[in-house]
Amino acid sequence: MKLLDWYILKRFLLTYFFVVMVIVLVVCVVDYTEKVDDFYKHNAPGDKIIFDYYLNFIPYWANYISPLMVFIATVFMTSRLAAKSEIIAILSSGISFVRLMVPYAMGALILSVATYFLVGWVVPKANQTRIAFELKYTKDPYTYSGRNIHIKVAPNVYAYLESYNNQSNTGYKFTLEEVKGNQLLQKLAGERIEWSPNKKKWTVYNYNLRKINGLQETLTHGEKIDTLLNLYPSDFDSDFSLFETFTFPELDNYIALLSSRGADGVETYLLEKYSRQTRPFAILILTAIGVIMSARKSRRGVGWQVALGFILAFVYLLFFMLAKGIAEAGNLNPIVAVWLPNIVFTGIGLILYHTIPR
């Protein structure tokens, strides 16, 4: 690597970390202002606010805004180079514009690989601590309010609960049916069902067990019976930002579980999975656009180019949120929703490359 590549790469990475640090600091101040009353209301300890919440809040936001901050950092740094006529000097020495973009591409690639591993494994672990803190110290106690709950717990096996109390881990008016085709093979019904932490099983009280084998039918009644189900008290806990706490393997497993149950809300987790996977590509695309649109020296100065960069970054974010909202409503495929902004902005980048004089 030549000295010029090191020079650009170093300035690119330093500018990125500086921009991220400033923005995250502002976000932390705003967030503290919004939540300070909740901290006092729930008597949150100062050490937990710092170590459990904000030390895990910072990497979450740093990665969340990383594609946009890469774009802003690229525009800011490149426009300053152009304002000092450094870009002109580089191109006049015989270096092509494509070659000029190589150190930017290397820097974007470094950040993309780091982002992929962070959002896939590191940040979700940090989110587990952060979100647990939020549920305890900024939210009111969670009460499950679902009614008439239908869940597929195994192939051809369906569970029903009229209601569930997540404080006592007790469900009421429980039914478990095994159905093959249009034929009912077995039905277990009970007045209530309780989770036993020691046995790791459910106990059904005042149950009736009905088994059907062709024309033969047997009915068993009892005071209580233990049963193993692919159903756990955690399924009735708060799902507040739950998708943010899963690593890639955990996210895949949870999506498979929801799909097997035919549950609603699978789109939210699919969007989370695909948006994490596309974030590294967004960094590469936005870096290229940033270099193209800011490499030309502007008479309006660096401030105008930086402002234009913020506007374009805001448009990208708005476009992404709009596509994501449509996908969550079930009107757009999740893969299309997360890739559409990147595809559109790739097209914008190609247009800018062929139209903006350099």
Side-chain angles (χ1 to χ4, degrees):
M1 181 181 287
K2 295 183 179 180
L3 184 62
L4 178 62
D5 294 326
W6 278 114
Y7 172 73
I8 294 177
L9 178 61
K10 180 180 177 180
R11 292 196 61 176
F12 173 73
L13 293 176
L14 288 176
T15 304
Y16 165 76
F17 287 116
F18 173 76
V19 172
V20 169
M21 182 181 66
V22 171
I23 298 299
V24 169
L25 181 61
V26 172
V27 172
C28 286
V29 172
V30 173
D31 182 79
Y32 181 79
T33 303
E34 290 181 350
K35 290 188 170 66
V36 63
D37 291 336
D38 292 325
F39 292 157
Y40 281 113
K41 177 183 176 182
H42 295 90
N43 298 317
D47 59 332
K48 289 188 177 295
I49 293 175
I50 296 173
F51 296 105
D52 286 2
Y53 184 64
Y54 280 108
L55 282 186
N56 294 299
F57 181 84
I58 290 172
Y60 164 74
W61 267 98
N63 277 277
Y64 184 77
I65 62 176
S66 59
L68 299 182
M69 292 305 100
V70 167
F71 180 69
I72 297 302
T74 303
V75 172
F76 180 72
M77 188 198 95
T78 309
S79 58
R80 290 190 63 186
L81 292 176
K84 297 177 181 179
S85 300
E86 292 183 69
I87 299 292
I88 296 175
I90 293 171
L91 297 177
S92 298
S93 66
I95 295 177
S96 66
F97 187 78
V98 174
R99 179 62 182 84
L100 172 65
M101 294 181 66
V102 169
Y104 287 98
M106 294 184 64
L109 185 61
I110 292 171
L111 295 177
S112 296
V113 173
T115 296
Y116 181 80
F117 284 100
L118 286 172
V119 299
W121 287 272
V122 179
V123 174
K125 295 297 183 182
N127 285 340
Q128 292 175 10
T129 304
R130 175 181 64 84
I131 291 173
F133 175 92
E134 288 191 68
L135 289 173
K136 185 174 183 179
Y137 294 110
T138 67
K139 306 290 181 182
D140 293 327
Y142 174 74
T143 301
Y144 185 82
S145 58
R147 303 284 295 183
N148 298 321
I149 308 146
H150 295 266
I151 300 176
K152 183 178 181 181
V153 296
N156 305 319
V157 181
Y158 303 86
Y160 166 80
L161 291 168
E162 184 179 273
S163 62
Y164 184 83
N165 186 324
N166 65 299
Q167 304 299 322
S168 60
N169 291 330
T170 303
Y172 300 93
K173 302 297 182 183
F174 169 75
T175 300
L176 185 69
E177 297 180 347
E178 182 180 354
V179 180
K180 187 175 182 180
N182 296 324
Q183 184 180 2
L184 177 65
L185 301 181
Q186 181 173 295
K187 180 176 181 178
L188 173 65
E191 289 186 4
R192 74 181 193 277
I193 183 172
E194 292 183 1
W195 175 254
S196 175
N198 296 328
K199 298 178 181 179
K200 302 296 182 182
K201 296 180 181 179
W202 294 96
T203 302
V204 185
Y205 291 88
N206 295 327
Y207 71 91
N208 289 302
L209 178 60
R210 180 185 175 194
K211 295 183 178 180
I212 302 173
N213 185 10
L215 298 177
Q216 296 181 349
E217 180 177 334
T218 58
L219 181 63
T220 306
H221 174 76
E223 184 176 334
K224 64 179 182 178
I225 186 174
D226 292 338
T227 182
L228 278 172
L229 296 174
N230 186 22
L231 186 69
Y232 304 94
S234 59
D235 294 321
F236 302 96
D237 288 343
S238 172
D239 60 355
F240 171 72
S241 297
L242 181 63
F243 57 89
E244 295 178 348
T245 65
F246 291 137
T247 63
F248 274 141
E250 292 169 345
L251 196 55
D252 287 334
N253 292 336
Y254 195 73
I255 289 171
L257 177 62
L258 291 180
S259 299
S260 68
R261 291 177 174 176
D264 296 329
V266 180
E267 290 80 10
T268 300
Y269 297 91
L270 287 173
L271 283 168
E272 176 67 14
K273 174 185 175 180
Y274 298 140
S275 62
R276 291 189 197 179
Q277 292 175 345
T278 59
R279 196 168 298 173
F281 295 97
I283 290 175
L284 295 171
I285 294 167
L286 293 175
T287 298
I289 294 177
V291 177
I292 293 168
M293 66 176 294
S294 57
R296 181 169 176 253
K297 188 174 183 179
S298 175
R299 295 179 180 178
R300 298 181 181 181
V302 176
W304 164 253
Q305 291 176 302
V306 173
L308 187 61
F310 270 103
I311 293 172
L312 197 57
F314 176 77
V315 171
Y316 175 86
L317 182 61
L318 187 63
F319 193 9
F320 178 79
M321 293 177 65
L322 180 62
K324 187 176 180 180
I326 296 174
E328 286 178 341
N331 298 321
L332 187 64
N333 186 287
I335 297 179
V336 176
V338 298
W339 276 105
L340 189 59
N342 290 334
I343 294 172
V344 171
F345 271 74
T346 299
I348 292 174
L350 292 173
I351 293 172
L352 291 174
Y353 179 79
H354 290 289
T355 56
I356 293 181
R358 295 177 289 278

